[in-house]
Amino acid sequence: MEYKNPGEETPMTPLRQQLLDMIVEPDAYDHPAGELLPLQLAAARELVAQRLDQISVLRRRADDTGVHEIRTLDDLVPLLFAHSVYKSYPATFVENCRWDRLLQWLQTLSVDKVTEVDMGGVEDVDQWIERLGAAGHRILATSGTSGKCSFLNATEGDYRLKVRHFGNSLGWPVMKPNRDRAVFALFPRSGPNSGIEAGRIGAEVWGRPDSAHFLTAEPLRIKDVSAQAALRKRMAEGSATPGEVAAFQSQNAERAERAQAGMARLIDKILEHRREPIVLTGLWAQHLAILERARTLGVPDGDFNPQSVVSAGGGVKNVALPEDYKERVAQFYAGVQRGGAYGMTEQAQIMPVCPARRYHCPPGLIMLILDGPGERLLNPPGNLGGIVEGRFAFLDLLYDGRWGGLISGDRVTADFGERCPCGRPGPTILDTIARYAQVGEEDHIGCAGTIDSYVSGALAS
Amino acid sequence: MNARMEQRPVPLCHVVKGVTITGADLEFGGAGARFTTPSLHLDDLVWLRTQPGPAFDVPLAEILDILVATGQWLTADPKGWVAEALEFTVRSSPLPRDVLETSYAGLGRMFSDRAGMEFQVDQELGGAASVDGWREVVTPAGRRVGVRAFPPRLVHIIAGNAPGVAAQTVIRGALTKGVHLIKIPSNDLFTATAILRALSAVAPGHPLARSFSAVYWRGGDAQVEARLFRAQYFDKLVAWGGESTIRTAQKYVGPGFELVSFDPKTSISLIGREIFASEDTLADAAERAAVDATAMNQQACVSSRVQFIEGSVEEIDRFCALLQVRLGVARPGCSACGNPLPADMRSAIEGLRGLEPYARVWGGYEGRGVVIRSEEPVDFHPDGRVVNVVPVDDLRSALRYVTVATQTVGVYPAPRKTGLRDALASAGVQRIVELGRAMQIVAGLPHDGFLPLSRFVRWLNDE
């Protein structure tokens, strides 16, 4: 593999550039599938040809599957990564501070050369991420329920294009962000996490200078997440002492208390600003907390400025929410613009929601609907046909730092009809996105299992 | 739409107190794995305590006669029910046909093995006298008292990853003479009912046949479980495997209703440097390691997943290459090629491929077997014919990776067991075998650290 140095520009292939640049046009989301598909396919062909020589995991995948050239959308399917590839490094690399080995691993999934980044004196994974950032590699980390983080590399250019994409997709199709209002993002101000990054980009594109409010200035630290995973592992092995577990829990409790205090202050500030147009982004449970505080203060439903944009999201796994949480939140914010977009950490080009509550696909995102196992493409020929239910996958043409092809864990219903009920062309994703539980397999019972079942949920913070 | 999705739902029958119930009242399962069942009548699924269970006073010898006859019936399959169950199972089980065929062919032998079943009663309950009546015991003070392994009332949530589990459940249940409600698992929908139909065929209306029911409900369905899982109807819940099963079980256990749990387990191998003495010993060890790893296509708790080995990296790499070839060999209980690896497992392995010298990988993702040599055990659970080989200086260094979830440890060469077994046991291991013998399970020996029959029964005194 020939790795290029960060910042060293390789010109984007013209078709890819053309598709990505469409986002700045007013009709970005108005192109019919028949017009886009041939361009997308050609851009994917060019991109794959380039990336095969740059990303060793992709190269091996191509060699294993015999797919070296993209002629149809079906050819992309064997080349898509499962999200788990981005957490396929051994966790001991982090536990034992083997930053060189972690770089070696990251290199196999990166376009730019990362193995020469100086890691001298690095003591934890956050510093590892910072060093990479300083050298032009923007790492996003996610944490799964296991606590093991994925690390996804992107370039500075990728980030700039992502900001541009957000600037042209947030508020769509009703409003366009123009830095004129207060922004409330119920996340930490900084940290290598996609939710935080999205909050920051939102503040940048919507916010008046100096009027962005975050949950806390305390950065989200990945080492806390990793520490939890490491402790959990040692508990499983039986080497963690009860005292260690107790200390960890009280540390978590303190942090939660600080976060709660910050949240209470921020909620009051949000409610003070409710009569002016604002942008408010948070998780479902956080919106319920705002609602509850409003009740106490006697703030009625529908009291926010109709020019405000409020979006709610985030996973609802392991969060106790009332069954009608969506309805309650909708009622509380009645009258405002309920923005929203579908996206995930692995995806730069989010899909904004239309007034018909459907998610629309930007020109630079190739949407692939797969069967349950993620092996077969269900898109109708020419991306024109009926309703298809399946696993959401995509090739995000934006990334220069890594391969943008991914199979998600989401079960979606996609409408490949010519037009969305909102009048714009399809395809669209319906507002019925769910996780891929292994339907019908919920009571498959076997005698084989791991020590993970033996660690009681003592580490929930 | 693929061929599987076009298939009609598979009809599942129930057996309730020896009577076969048919009907397609309810439908379950996702696309490609749909099946129908008769509706459930909860009143029929309990044996009220106002009356003794039907077989409480049937002599063990008579029960053994019926079990042996059931075994012969299962082998002969005069009505074709076993063949039918096998065909349906092939359509709905994650296991391949050849593995299922071998398992089904062995079902009859489990029941016909009278000596084996007597061994179980002797080892686990102290002989027929404890089951058939009140065995006399003389206390240190010279008092004569009676002790009986009294027939229990059990509800079983069984594992479906091997058809033998259903057979073992019926045999253990019959030997205790109790009443038994078996909850059919969705990954083995037909074996338990096929066995119970055979039992009713050889002994129609017999108290033993009337002591068993096997029905399906969706695991965790509170409409069913909250009503049945009560001390008023059952003494114990015998639950296999998965975290979700145990979590559900915990909701209901309490005074008078206890849990007997066959916990989820994993198994490993410890391979000494002696294997490198000659090409023959190396080949022998690789073959044995493969046999243990591929048991039930690595779906069983006894299947070896991580193999710790002494030797230089060069030596160990030779072992890995040989092992990978041997993983792709058909054997009883394992096909030459399993299912292709799921995307998650594949991705986890792809990430390790670029990490030489830390890790090295042999084999592809088609299902014939993958061997990953890594400096430490991998973070994921090797499954689907994936073996993680971890070099160690001394087999004792593997002890730090042993936990209470580690069931079977295969050791090579066998004499090394003696020096390791106490330390392994102390760390949590339940079973130590010579490498290559993990699948040779002997009923009547302890299982997961306890004697199942002894846990099943209620131990009562007449003083």
Side-chain angles (χ1 to χ4, degrees), chain A residues 316-449:
Chain A
V316 291
K317 256 193 308 185
N318 306 325
V319 185
L321 291 172
E323 243 171 59
D324 59 343
Y325 67 97
K326 280 192 181 178
E327 289 76 19
R328 286 197 206 188
V329 170
Q331 204 177 328
F332 178 62
Y333 295 115
V336 307
Q337 298 300 326
R338 289 300 304 281
Y342 175 52
M344 55 196 76
T345 298
E346 295 86 351
Q347 176 188 356
Q349 300 180 76
I350 50 168
M351 299 171 62
V353 74
C354 75
R357 298 302 302 169
R358 290 182 174 209
Y359 300 99
H360 285 248
C361 201
L365 184 77
I366 302 179
M367 182 168 92
L368 304 162
I369 307 300
L370 310 183
D371 61 353
E375 288 160 5
R376 217 160 43 87
L377 186 74
L378 303 181
N379 289 26
N383 271 358
L384 269 179
I387 301 259
V388 174
E389 191 184 288
R391 189 180 285 274
F392 182 72
F394 59 84
L395 172 59
D396 191 329
L397 292 169
L398 181 146
Y399 285 110
D400 263 329
R402 65 169 188 270
W403 172 230
L406 189 102
I407 298 180
S408 83
D410 287 350
R411 172 196 283 274
V412 299
T413 305
D415 185 350
F416 286 93
E418 211 166 322
R419 297 222 163 260
C420 171
C422 78
R424 294 175 191 81
T428 56
I429 299 279
L430 273 59
D431 195 17
T432 54
I433 299 157
R435 293 297 293 171
Y436 245 101
Q438 291 181 309
V439 174
E441 291 184 3
E442 55 275 291
D443 58 345
H444 271 209
I445 297 175
C447 58

Side-chain angles (χ1 to χ4, degrees), chain A residues 183-296:
Chain A
V183 175
F184 296 88
L186 303 176
F187 303 106
R189 183 185 292 272
S190 60
N193 163 281
S194 71
I196 293 172
E197 187 185 72
R200 213 171 43 230
I201 297 176
E204 186 181 327
V205 300
W206 284 110
R208 268 194 320 264
D210 301 324
S211 67
H213 306 273
F214 294 90
L215 187 55
T216 167
E218 197 176 337
L220 174 101
R221 286 177 311 185
I222 298 304
K223 73 174 172 196
D224 297 332
V225 183
S226 306
Q228 175 156 335
L231 181 62
R232 198 183 157 83
K233 188 167 159 190
R234 299 207 307 111
M235 280 172 77
E237 287 170 3
S239 59
T241 66
E244 263 181 273
V245 177
F248 186 85
Q249 282 171 324
S250 65
Q251 216 178 20
N252 272 353
E254 273 170 41
R255 202 174 20 240
E257 214 168 288
R258 277 205 304 277
Q260 226 148 29
M263 179 72 183
R265 280 194 299 276
L266 191 56
I267 288 178
D268 285 351
K269 201 175 279 175
I270 291 167
L271 292 174
E272 280 164 29
H273 284 72
R274 68 179 183 278
R275 297 276 165 75
E276 63 182 76
I278 59 168
V279 166
L280 170 58
T281 319
L283 305 174
W284 287 107
Q286 293 173 314
H287 285 293
L288 288 176
I290 296 174
L291 192 160
E292 212 167 285
R293 175 71 179 152
R295 292 272 182 278
T296 322

